[in-house]
Amino acid sequence: MERLSFRRGFRYLAAFSALAILALMARAAASAETGSKVSPAEAAQLWQAAKANLVQAPDDEQALRQAAAAAQQLERQPATAKLAIRAYRDLSAILGTSKDQRIAAGAAKFAGIARRLGMLGHRMKIFGSLPDGAPLDASPLAGKVVLVDFWATWCGPCRRELPNVKRNYEKFHNRGFEVVGVSLDTDADALREFLAKEQIKWPVMMGNDETGAGWDSPLAVYYGVTSVPTAILIDQSGNVVSLNARGPELTRRLEQLLGSAGG
């Protein structure tokens, strides 16, 4: 999975030094290295400590990095999923008070992450422009099962997932399955060449200089997309049913919604 680098001062990291939360951060860093998780109680404690530190110093990039990493710990486990949403909302609010414009600019991204994590069971707005600048017409998506696929041509995991999306599209399209791609590429010509070569049959949006491109693409910012591929699945009623509809999960969900026969 390819992640946003946060070159503007929002890089998620695994090494921390603030004395007030050193022990908890070290525990979180060790867990990240081993692939394990801190306990829900530890994750909540870590977040409260990091949040308090950031409130005292909203212009401190290190405090921001620590708080962002603490929110990530909450996001990684179901037991603290709701707290993670609140944490990202808090991060957005705190960043809005920063006098550092680079830091304050990140408020929208954290608000977007909270918005994305809270979408399960709710409707998703789909908007943006195609590579030629024309706006996406979302009206044909009504009543369909829709995969909103955030990806990029430079993303290795995205390229590896593409055959799976194609197979599912061919199998389920006639039964009401649609795909909308959201490319985080910045070169429209290169994207069009890739789409033609791969014979992509569904619409693919991308940002531009006017709206913001790459990680700053409007829909990516609105939903706080910080890694690709990010695959969000919407059911026939327009509600989000999965925030990670990749690999076998995509097929399983489509069989539930559209039936497993045929294809």
Side-chain angles (χ1 to χ4, degrees), residues 86-229:
R86 294 197 298 271
Y88 283 118
R89 287 173 180 162
D90 287 346
L91 275 172
S92 178
I94 295 169
L95 263 61
T97 70
S98 175
K99 297 178 182 178
D100 187 324
Q101 291 185 349
R102 295 176 305 146
I103 293 178
K109 180 67 72 173
F110 286 117
I113 296 174
R115 187 178 294 116
R116 171 168 48 84
L117 295 180
M119 275 199 303
L120 282 175
H122 301 285
R123 301 182 72 84
M124 178 182 185
K125 292 183 179 180
I126 303 175
F127 59 88
S129 300
L130 302 174
D132 63 2
L136 174 75
D137 179 9
S139 60
L141 305 178
K144 304 292 183 67
V145 175
V146 181
L147 178 71
V148 182
D149 185 20
F150 293 86
W151 68 289
T153 60
W154 44 258
C155 165
C158 301
R159 285 175 176 260
R160 291 192 290 273
E161 177 64 13
L162 181 57
N164 180 57
V165 178
K166 284 183 174 180
R167 283 193 299 270
N168 281 286
Y169 184 83
E170 293 297 328
K171 181 177 181 180
F172 293 99
H173 178 62
N174 289 337
R175 281 182 270 165
F177 176 49
E178 300 287 351
V179 179
V180 175
V182 184
S183 172
L184 301 191
D185 288 278
T186 56
D187 186 331
D189 290 336
L191 175 61
R192 281 192 287 263
E193 181 179 345
F194 181 88
L195 297 178
K197 178 181 178 181
E198 293 293 331
Q199 299 182 327
I200 303 300
K201 300 178 180 180
W202 53 84
V204 175
M205 298 186 292
M206 73 171 292
N208 52 54
D209 291 340
E210 182 178 348
T211 64
W215 294 108
D216 293 324
S217 298
L219 203 63
V221 173
Y222 189 74
Y223 286 112
V225 173
T226 58
S227 65
V228 287

Side-chain angles (χ1 to χ4, degrees), residues 49-68:
K51 175 185 174 182
N53 196 34
L54 183 61
V55 167
Q56 293 297 318
D59 298 324
D60 188 324
E61 292 190 19
Q62 178 174 281
L64 171 59
R65 292 193 292 265
Q66 292 170 345

